[in-house]
């Protein structure tokens, strides 16, 4: 029985074979790499996005054919090689035991083969690409280019002279422990790259970012069409979080490109051509770096950036409709990113909370699931234990109610959808006064979550009576009242607006009953009371919980938030 040379763990060990690059103006050479045997090393600085290799296969295999046909095909191809090619092929690393030449050939191929088509079972041996060693923090990207029928390698970042060129043999979104185990099992070596030799604390942080990117992939996949059209804001937050994690990890690979592609498709499906164009441009730029400008992906997304309305799902929803040229100009980079990702701005000092903000007052579809750690609502330092990063409030108008074993409500949210709500408090909902539980009143639930009931549609399962309040007005009237409060209660640079006449001044008088609206004097107060509806509004605004919705610092986490809201007492 013969065993391949395993003094090195890399896939490109060349033994005594001396090789030079097939590219005349070579950027690299095959050299000894400490601890790895042979590898490709840059002999001059190579800039990010450079195509350093474009190579035809000299042995191809198709795993879809029968074992006997595969072996016959391999033997014929090896016999047809030149002496130089044959020696180079036989010198490649082989982690498989073999008893004869055919098994040796097959072992070398299964150890070293790279894809030879975009989708399918066809693989190949390449004289130089198969010499590139692995690193979990690889500085180059391998890829099959279907257009030119060649295997290409592009630099993901600048590579210094004397630095080894590396690719990854694994999915990059794996923890260090999983990567090391897989590399040992599949390739028989232990990786000692920079990422795998980080100090424990940094290694854990890196693992947490990679695992969170992978987890978000799964969450997004589960959302499916709902994530694209029903809850696009939530899905956009997931993509935003993914891109931030890629940036923190320092990875600009095909996964990074996919995040931009998916985001472009999401916003275009919701008719946002301005953002769609920008995300498609970013995707095409990453594809160009990782796979080349002639790759199918770079060409496709470049065309999408030119005319995002060509996307087949464009206009499925009109929720975010913009024209392609409506992107704002002249913004600071951070402000532009906030616009691009539809990020809510923190409430500025002196500003009141906006009840129309979907970040703080989300519709039902945008609520976090009970078993989901939505990055908008939750944060984690280790990607294992999550805690709320902020508070939020779900608003819904009572459409119907009934009490059987417990109080059940049907409530209508800001999107007009009807949602079931079941009370599993100790009193099964009896804590609420019957006078409050009336059709047309608005329910406010702090830190609400979506619950999937065993029977019936998803809804809200309510268990804590201190987290709910019912206000005696319809939801649309509550939102309109908030607009009034925003206009006539807010102070800007010491200036307020009179509710009676609309005059702006620094010396106005506050309504003594609700302490919310301001007036020039008695005449304006009478006008506001009689002509502008303050008589009804004042009664509502005397409720500290209603005022609390407006003045609470929702972005500041307070673990004890509950009704009654004490924030209004300090305003």
């Amino acid at each position: 029985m013969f065993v391949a040379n395993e003094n090195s763990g890399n896939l490109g060990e060349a033994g005594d074979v001396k090789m030079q690059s097939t590219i005349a103006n070579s950027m690299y050479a095959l050299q000894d790499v400490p601890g790895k045997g042979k590898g490709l090393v840059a002999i001059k600085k190579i800039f990010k996005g450079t195509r350093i290799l474009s190579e035809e296969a000299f042995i191809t295999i198709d795993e879809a054919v029968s074992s006997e046909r595969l072996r016959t095909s391999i033997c014929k191809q090896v016999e047809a090689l030149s002496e130089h090619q044959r020696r180079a092929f036989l010198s490649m690393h082989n982690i498989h035991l073999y008893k004869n030449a055919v098994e040796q050939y097959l072992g070398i191929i299964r150890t070293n083969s790279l894809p030879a088509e975009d989708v399918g079972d066809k693989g190949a041996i390449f004289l130089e690409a198969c010499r590139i060693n692995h690193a979990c923090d690889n500085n180059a990207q391998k890829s099959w280019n279907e257009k030119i029928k060649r295997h290409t390698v592009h630099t993901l970042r600048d590579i210094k002279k004397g630095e080894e060129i590396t690719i990854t043999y694994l999915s990059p979104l794996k923890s260090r422990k999983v990567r090391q185990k897989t590399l040992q099992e599949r390739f028989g070596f232990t990786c000692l790259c920079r990422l795998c030799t980080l100090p424990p604390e940094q290694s854990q942080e890196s693992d947490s970012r990679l695992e969170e990117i992978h987890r978000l992939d799964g969450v997004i996949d589960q959302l499916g069409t709902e994530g694209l059209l029903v809850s696009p804001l939530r899905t956009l937050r997931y993509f935003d979080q993914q891109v931030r994690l890629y940036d923190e990890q320092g990875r600009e690979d095909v996964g990074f490109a996919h995040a931009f592609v998916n985001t472009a498709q999401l916003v275009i499906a919701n008719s946002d051509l301005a953002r769609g164009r920008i995300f498609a441009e970013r995707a095409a730029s990453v594809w160009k770096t990782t796979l080349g400008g002639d790759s199918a992906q770079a060409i496709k997304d470049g065309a999408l950036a030119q005319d995002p309305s060509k996307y087949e799902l464009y206009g499925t929803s009109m929720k975010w409709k913009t024209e392609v040229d409506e992107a704002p100009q002249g913004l600071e980079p951070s402000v532009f990113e906030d616009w691009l990702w539809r990020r809510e701005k923190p409430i500025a000092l002196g500003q009141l909370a906006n009840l129309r903000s979907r970040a703080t007052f989300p519709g039902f579809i945008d609520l976090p699931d009970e078993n989901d750690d939505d990055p908008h609502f939750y944060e984690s330092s280790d990607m294992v234990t999550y805690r709320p990063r902020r508070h939020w409030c779900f608003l819904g108008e009572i459409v119907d109610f009934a009490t059987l074993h417990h109080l059940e409500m049907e409530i209508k949210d800001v999107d007009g959808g009807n949602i079931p709500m079941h009370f599993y408090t100790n009193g099964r909902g009896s804590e609420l006064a019957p006078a409050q539980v009336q059709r047309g009143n608005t329910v406010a639930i702090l830190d609400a979550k979506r619950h999937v009931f065993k029977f019936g549609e998803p809804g809200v399962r309510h268990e804590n009576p201190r987290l709910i309040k019912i206000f005696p007005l319809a939801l649309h009237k509550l939102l309109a009242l908030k607009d009034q409060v925003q206009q006539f209660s807010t102070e800007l640079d010491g200036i307020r607006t009179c509710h009676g006449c609309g005059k702006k001044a620094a010396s106005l008088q506050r309504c003594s009953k609700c302490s919310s609206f301001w007036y020039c004097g008695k005449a304006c107060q009478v006008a506001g009371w009689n002509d502008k509806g303050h008589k009804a509004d004042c009664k509502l605004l005397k409720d500290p919980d209603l005022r609390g919705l407006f003045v609470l610092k929702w972005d500041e986490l307070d673990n004890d938030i509950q009704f009654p809201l004490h924030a209004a007492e300090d305003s």
Side-chain angles (χ1 to χ4, degrees):
M1 178 178 293
F2 301 100
V3 182
N5 183 348
E6 293 186 349
N7 293 330
S8 162
N10 81 82
L11 305 192
E13 184 175 318
D16 296 327
V17 177
K18 304 296 183 184
M19 295 179 58
Q20 293 295 325
S21 169
T22 56
I23 301 177
N25 56 340
S26 178
M27 293 172 276
Y28 60 85
L30 187 69
Q31 297 180 2
D32 290 319
V33 178
K36 292 186 176 182
K38 299 286 186 179
L40 298 191
V41 177
I43 58 175
K44 62 181 180 181
K45 182 176 180 179
I46 309 175
F47 292 97
K48 175 182 174 180
T50 301
R51 175 171 290 176
I52 57 177
L53 191 152
S54 177
E55 187 177 11
E56 293 180 332
F58 73 99
I59 294 178
T60 59
I61 61 168
D62 188 347
E63 293 284 1
V65 304
S66 66
S67 175
E68 188 60 35
R69 287 182 60 191
L70 179 62
R71 290 168 180 260
T72 300
S73 172
I74 290 172
C75 287
K76 288 182 179 179
Q77 291 182 77
V78 173
E79 291 171 1
L81 296 177
S82 68
E83 181 62 24
H84 171 71
Q85 290 175 323
R86 182 181 175 85
R87 290 180 64 208
F89 171 67
L90 294 177
S91 72
M92 289 183 178
H93 191 54
N94 184 0
I95 65 170
H96 300 279
L97 302 177
Y98 57 88
K99 298 178 181 178
N100 53 53
V102 176
E103 290 183 0
Q104 181 187 12
Y105 303 159
L106 193 58
I108 292 173
I109 289 171
R110 286 181 171 162
T111 303
N112 296 278
S113 67
L114 294 169
E117 60 183 357
D118 285 336
V119 179
D121 299 314
K122 188 175 290 186
I125 294 295
F126 302 89
L127 192 61
E128 297 186 0
C130 290
R131 300 285 177 182
I132 305 178
N133 289 318
H134 165 87
C136 300
D137 63 340
N138 52 303
N139 56 25
Q141 175 72 48
K142 66 181 188 296
S143 176
W144 174 257
N145 188 311
E146 187 65 30
K147 183 178 181 180
I148 61 176
K149 303 294 182 183
R150 285 173 171 261
H151 190 86
T152 62
V153 176
H154 294 79
T155 53
L156 296 177
R157 57 174 173 79
D158 290 353
I159 299 177
K160 297 179 292 185
K161 178 181 179 180
E163 183 180 353
E164 184 186 10
I165 297 166
T166 57
I167 58 176
T168 180
Y169 299 165
L170 307 174
S171 166
L173 304 181
K174 304 288 185 184
S175 68
R176 178 185 179 278
K177 183 178 179 180
V178 172
R179 296 195 308 268
Q180 295 286 9
K181 183 175 183 291
T182 305
L183 289 169
Q184 274 291 347
E185 291 176 349
R186 292 176 56 185
F187 303 110
F189 70 89
T190 299
C191 182
L192 298 175
C193 73
R194 181 199 62 83
L195 196 60
C196 288
T197 55
L198 288 172
E201 184 176 345
Q202 294 180 30
S203 180
Q204 184 178 5
E205 291 173 356
S206 171
D207 287 351
S208 296
R209 286 191 292 267
L210 295 173
E211 290 171 351
E212 180 65 2
I213 293 171
H214 181 67
R215 186 190 73 83
L216 288 171
D217 275 338
V219 171
I220 294 164
D221 287 344
Q222 284 186 336
L223 287 174
T225 305
E226 176 186 302
L228 191 68
L229 299 173
V230 182
S231 55
L233 186 60
R234 180 201 294 193
T235 308
L236 184 64
R237 291 199 296 258
Y238 290 147
F239 289 136
D240 187 7
Q241 179 71 358
Q242 275 195 321
V243 168
R244 293 191 202 210
L245 290 167
Y246 272 113
D247 284 334
E248 291 174 14
Q249 190 69 10
R251 288 203 68 86
E252 189 171 318
D253 57 13
V254 295
F256 192 53
H258 277 299
F260 284 126
V261 172
N262 293 334
T263 310
Q265 293 174 349
L266 168 70
V267 299
I268 297 171
N270 287 277
S271 301
D272 191 342
L273 297 180
R275 290 175 177 84
R277 175 182 61 82
I278 295 166
F279 285 125
E281 286 175 345
R282 292 186 179 185
S285 176
V286 179
W287 288 130
K288 185 176 180 180
T289 296
T290 56
L291 306 184
D294 58 355
S295 65
Q297 295 89 335
I299 293 171
K300 178 180 179 181
D301 290 318
L304 184 64
Q306 291 294 317
D307 187 356
S309 68
K310 294 295 185 183
Y311 177 51
E312 57 267 26
L313 293 181
Y314 166 62
T316 305
S317 163
M318 305 300 287
K319 186 173 293 186
W320 291 343
K321 183 172 176 58
T322 65
E323 298 302 326
V324 74
D325 58 353
E326 287 185 16
Q329 304 295 318
L331 298 181
E332 291 291 327
S334 62
V335 178
F336 182 81
E337 291 300 307
D338 288 343
W339 169 84
L340 182 65
W341 292 99
R342 293 181 177 272
R343 297 170 185 158
E344 290 274 349
K345 294 181 180 179
I347 298 173
L349 187 65
Q351 276 192 326
L352 300 178
N354 181 5
L355 266 62
R356 300 183 189 275
S357 163
R358 300 303 291 266
T360 305
F361 298 91
F364 177 72
I365 198 63
D366 293 318
L367 289 176
D369 292 326
E370 284 184 329
N371 301 315
D372 178 29
D373 302 316
D374 187 321
H376 177 69
F377 297 100
Y378 296 92
E379 62 184 359
S380 173
S381 58
D382 57 8
M383 303 303 172
V384 176
T385 305
Y386 288 82
R387 65 187 293 272
R389 66 167 68 239
R390 56 176 297 137
H391 290 296
W392 63 95
C393 182
F394 173 63
L395 301 173
E397 182 178 320
I398 301 174
V399 175
D400 204 354
F401 61 92
T403 302
L404 297 175
H405 301 294
H406 59 268
L407 177 62
E408 302 176 17
M409 289 184 184
E410 182 180 348
I411 54 180
K412 180 174 64 177
D413 73 350
V414 292
D415 294 318
N418 287 0
I419 297 98
M421 181 176 177
H422 295 258
F423 285 74
Y424 287 90
T425 57
N426 290 337
R428 294 295 190 263
S430 62
E431 299 90 346
L432 296 173
Q436 294 179 305
V437 184
Q438 299 294 326
R439 296 177 183 87
N441 285 352
T442 296
V443 177
I445 309 167
L446 301 174
D447 296 344
K449 301 179 183 66
R450 299 195 335 160
H451 177 82
V452 178
F453 294 103
K454 188 174 182 180
F455 302 103
E457 295 295 318
V460 176
R461 177 188 171 101
H462 187 67
E463 299 180 358
N464 187 344
R466 302 297 297 274
L467 299 181
I468 188 172
K469 175 75 182 243
I470 299 180
F471 297 105
L473 74 168
L475 179 55
H476 74 278
K477 291 184 177 180
L478 175 61
L479 296 177
L481 176 58
K482 168 57 186 69
D483 294 339
Q484 290 278 305
V485 172
Q486 184 71 46
Q487 182 177 0
F488 298 110
S489 290
T490 303
E491 177 184 327
L492 184 62
D493 296 330
I495 303 299
R496 297 183 185 275
T497 303
C498 174
H499 179 237
C501 68
K503 177 182 176 181
K504 298 182 184 297
S507 56
L508 298 180
Q509 301 174 22
R510 177 185 286 185
C511 173
S512 60
K513 295 184 178 181
C514 69
S515 300
S516 295
F517 287 3
W518 294 77
Y519 298 95
C520 297
K522 187 172 181 61
C524 285
Q525 188 171 12
V526 170
W529 187 267
N530 295 327
D531 302 333
K532 297 195 173 183
H534 189 55
K535 180 177 181 179
D537 293 342
C538 188
K539 183 178 179 180
L540 294 168
L541 289 170
K542 285 192 289 186
D543 184 343
D545 285 330
L546 184 57
R547 296 205 311 275
L549 293 183
F550 304 150
V551 302
L552 188 72
K553 304 301 182 186
W554 295 95
D555 293 331
E556 298 176 6
L557 185 65
D558 179 356
N559 292 325
D560 296 323
I561 184 173
Q562 58 185 18
F563 291 107
L565 297 175
H566 299 293
E569 300 171 3
D570 303 324
S571 64

mmCIF file of all heavy atoms in Angstrom, residues 257-275:
data_model
loop_
_atom_site.group_PDB
_atom_site.id
_atom_site.type_symbol
_atom_site.label_atom_id
_atom_site.label_comp_id
_atom_site.label_asym_id
_atom_site.label_seq_id
_atom_site.Cartn_x
_atom_site.Cartn_y
_atom_site.Cartn_z
ATOM 1 N N ALA A 257 -20.966 40.550 -1.562
ATOM 2 C CA ALA A 257 -21.665 40.931 -2.797
ATOM 3 C C ALA A 257 -23.116 40.474 -2.771
ATOM 4 O O ALA A 257 -24.030 41.214 -3.147
ATOM 5 C CB ALA A 257 -20.941 40.334 -4.004
ATOM 6 N N HIS A 258 -23.346 39.237 -2.317
ATOM 7 C CA HIS A 258 -24.717 38.719 -2.253
ATOM 8 C C HIS A 258 -25.601 39.577 -1.346
ATOM 9 O O HIS A 258 -26.790 39.762 -1.636
ATOM 10 C CB HIS A 258 -24.711 37.272 -1.750
ATOM 11 C CG HIS A 258 -24.437 36.263 -2.823
ATOM 12 N ND1 HIS A 258 -25.260 36.108 -3.923
ATOM 13 C CD2 HIS A 258 -23.441 35.355 -2.966
ATOM 14 C CE1 HIS A 258 -24.775 35.148 -4.703
ATOM 15 N NE2 HIS A 258 -23.681 34.683 -4.142
ATOM 16 N N ALA A 259 -25.038 40.078 -0.253
ATOM 17 C CA ALA A 259 -25.821 40.921 0.646
ATOM 18 C C ALA A 259 -26.323 42.164 -0.086
ATOM 19 O O ALA A 259 -27.482 42.572 0.066
ATOM 20 C CB ALA A 259 -24.979 41.314 1.861
ATOM 21 N N PHE A 260 -25.467 42.774 -0.909
ATOM 22 C CA PHE A 260 -25.883 43.952 -1.678
ATOM 23 C C PHE A 260 -26.876 43.578 -2.777
ATOM 24 O O PHE A 260 -27.831 44.325 -3.032
ATOM 25 C CB PHE A 260 -24.669 44.646 -2.284
ATOM 26 C CG PHE A 260 -23.861 45.446 -1.305
ATOM 27 C CD1 PHE A 260 -22.505 45.237 -1.161
ATOM 28 C CD2 PHE A 260 -24.469 46.414 -0.515
ATOM 29 C CE1 PHE A 260 -21.752 45.968 -0.250
ATOM 30 C CE2 PHE A 260 -23.727 47.160 0.398
ATOM 31 C CZ PHE A 260 -22.371 46.937 0.531
ATOM 32 N N VAL A 261 -26.666 42.438 -3.425
ATOM 33 C CA VAL A 261 -27.606 41.987 -4.465
ATOM 34 C C VAL A 261 -28.997 41.803 -3.869
ATOM 35 O O VAL A 261 -30.003 42.293 -4.403
ATOM 36 C CB VAL A 261 -27.132 40.667 -5.098
ATOM 37 C CG1 VAL A 261 -28.208 40.112 -6.038
ATOM 38 C CG2 VAL A 261 -25.839 40.862 -5.858
ATOM 39 N N ASN A 262 -29.060 41.081 -2.755
ATOM 40 C CA ASN A 262 -30.351 40.814 -2.122
ATOM 41 C C ASN A 262 -31.028 42.099 -1.663
ATOM 42 O O ASN A 262 -32.256 42.235 -1.743
ATOM 43 C CB ASN A 262 -30.153 39.865 -0.943
ATOM 44 C CG ASN A 262 -29.718 38.480 -1.381
ATOM 45 O OD1 ASN A 262 -29.999 38.058 -2.499
ATOM 46 N ND2 ASN A 262 -29.026 37.765 -0.512
ATOM 47 N N THR A 263 -30.224 43.039 -1.164
ATOM 48 C CA THR A 263 -30.793 44.316 -0.730
ATOM 49 C C THR A 263 -31.333 45.094 -1.923
ATOM 50 O O THR A 263 -32.416 45.701 -1.842
ATOM 51 C CB THR A 263 -29.742 45.153 0.015
ATOM 52 O OG1 THR A 263 -29.124 44.365 1.029
ATOM 53 C CG2 THR A 263 -30.381 46.364 0.654
ATOM 54 N N ALA A 264 -30.599 45.091 -3.017
ATOM 55 C CA ALA A 264 -31.074 45.776 -4.229
ATOM 56 C C ALA A 264 -32.410 45.193 -4.687
ATOM 57 O O ALA A 264 -33.360 45.933 -4.996
ATOM 58 C CB ALA A 264 -30.031 45.655 -5.342
ATOM 59 N N GLN A 265 -32.518 43.877 -4.704
ATOM 60 C CA GLN A 265 -33.760 43.232 -5.132
ATOM 61 C C GLN A 265 -34.912 43.553 -4.182
ATOM 62 O O GLN A 265 -36.043 43.768 -4.620
ATOM 63 C CB GLN A 265 -33.541 41.723 -5.236
ATOM 64 C CG GLN A 265 -32.583 41.330 -6.350
ATOM 65 C CD GLN A 265 -32.260 39.852 -6.354
ATOM 66 O OE1 GLN A 265 -32.575 39.125 -5.410
ATOM 67 N NE2 GLN A 265 -31.603 39.382 -7.405
ATOM 68 N N LEU A 266 -34.607 43.614 -2.883
ATOM 69 C CA LEU A 266 -35.634 43.942 -1.898
ATOM 70 C C LEU A 266 -36.219 45.327 -2.142
ATOM 71 O O LEU A 266 -37.446 45.493 -2.217
ATOM 72 C CB LEU A 266 -35.025 43.874 -0.487
ATOM 73 C CG LEU A 266 -35.871 44.462 0.644
ATOM 74 C CD1 LEU A 266 -37.085 43.581 0.913
ATOM 75 C CD2 LEU A 266 -35.040 44.622 1.917
ATOM 76 N N VAL A 267 -35.361 46.325 -2.268
ATOM 77 C CA VAL A 267 -35.880 47.698 -2.400
ATOM 78 C C VAL A 267 -36.507 47.920 -3.767
ATOM 79 O O VAL A 267 -37.491 48.658 -3.885
ATOM 80 C CB VAL A 267 -34.766 48.733 -2.117
ATOM 81 C CG1 VAL A 267 -34.241 48.571 -0.698
ATOM 82 C CG2 VAL A 267 -33.627 48.669 -3.114
ATOM 83 N N ILE A 268 -35.975 47.299 -4.808
ATOM 84 C CA ILE A 268 -36.570 47.471 -6.146
ATOM 85 C C ILE A 268 -37.949 46.824 -6.203
ATOM 86 O O ILE A 268 -38.880 47.359 -6.815
ATOM 87 C CB ILE A 268 -35.650 46.891 -7.231
ATOM 88 C CG1 ILE A 268 -34.322 47.655 -7.275
ATOM 89 C CG2 ILE A 268 -36.323 46.972 -8.604
ATOM 90 C CD1 ILE A 268 -33.269 47.014 -8.168
ATOM 91 N N ALA A 269 -38.120 45.664 -5.563
ATOM 92 C CA ALA A 269 -39.435 45.012 -5.527
ATOM 93 C C ALA A 269 -40.462 45.921 -4.860
ATOM 94 O O ALA A 269 -41.661 45.854 -5.162
ATOM 95 C CB ALA A 269 -39.351 43.686 -4.789
ATOM 96 N N ASN A 270 -39.972 46.805 -3.967
ATOM 97 C CA ASN A 270 -40.861 47.761 -3.315
ATOM 98 C C ASN A 270 -40.801 49.136 -3.981
ATOM 99 O O ASN A 270 -41.126 50.152 -3.369
ATOM 100 C CB ASN A 270 -40.505 47.852 -1.836
ATOM 101 C CG ASN A 270 -40.948 46.626 -1.057
ATOM 102 O OD1 ASN A 270 -42.097 46.531 -0.651
ATOM 103 N ND2 ASN A 270 -40.045 45.677 -0.876
ATOM 104 N N SER A 271 -40.330 49.149 -5.252
ATOM 105 C CA SER A 271 -40.365 50.317 -6.146
ATOM 106 C C SER A 271 -39.406 51.433 -5.776
ATOM 107 O O SER A 271 -39.564 52.564 -6.229
ATOM 108 C CB SER A 271 -41.798 50.888 -6.242
ATOM 109 O OG SER A 271 -42.681 49.915 -6.735
ATOM 110 N N ASP A 272 -38.382 51.120 -4.963
ATOM 111 C CA ASP A 272 -37.395 52.126 -4.584
ATOM 112 C C ASP A 272 -36.215 52.056 -5.560
ATOM 113 O O ASP A 272 -35.215 51.390 -5.308
ATOM 114 C CB ASP A 272 -36.932 51.882 -3.146
ATOM 115 C CG ASP A 272 -36.103 53.039 -2.598
ATOM 116 O OD1 ASP A 272 -35.614 53.850 -3.401
ATOM 117 O OD2 ASP A 272 -35.935 53.120 -1.373
ATOM 118 N N LEU A 273 -36.337 52.759 -6.672
ATOM 119 C CA LEU A 273 -35.307 52.696 -7.713
ATOM 120 C C LEU A 273 -34.037 53.442 -7.310
ATOM 121 O O LEU A 273 -32.935 53.063 -7.715
ATOM 122 C CB LEU A 273 -35.851 53.278 -9.017
ATOM 123 C CG LEU A 273 -37.036 52.534 -9.640
ATOM 124 C CD1 LEU A 273 -37.467 53.228 -10.935
ATOM 125 C CD2 LEU A 273 -36.684 51.082 -9.922
ATOM 126 N N ALA A 274 -34.180 54.508 -6.521
ATOM 127 C CA ALA A 274 -33.012 55.294 -6.128
ATOM 128 C C ALA A 274 -32.043 54.436 -5.307
ATOM 129 O O ALA A 274 -30.846 54.359 -5.599
ATOM 130 C CB ALA A 274 -33.438 56.524 -5.339
ATOM 131 N N ARG A 275 -32.559 53.781 -4.280
ATOM 132 C CA ARG A 275 -31.708 52.921 -3.476
ATOM 133 C C ARG A 275 -31.312 51.663 -4.235
ATOM 134 O O ARG A 275 -30.204 51.151 -4.077
ATOM 135 C CB ARG A 275 -32.411 52.557 -2.164
ATOM 136 C CG ARG A 275 -32.545 53.741 -1.201
ATOM 137 C CD ARG A 275 -33.349 53.343 0.033
ATOM 138 N NE ARG A 275 -33.437 54.413 1.013
ATOM 139 C CZ ARG A 275 -34.323 55.390 0.968
ATOM 140 N NH1 ARG A 275 -35.199 55.455 -0.034
ATOM 141 N NH2 ARG A 275 -34.347 56.339 1.906
#
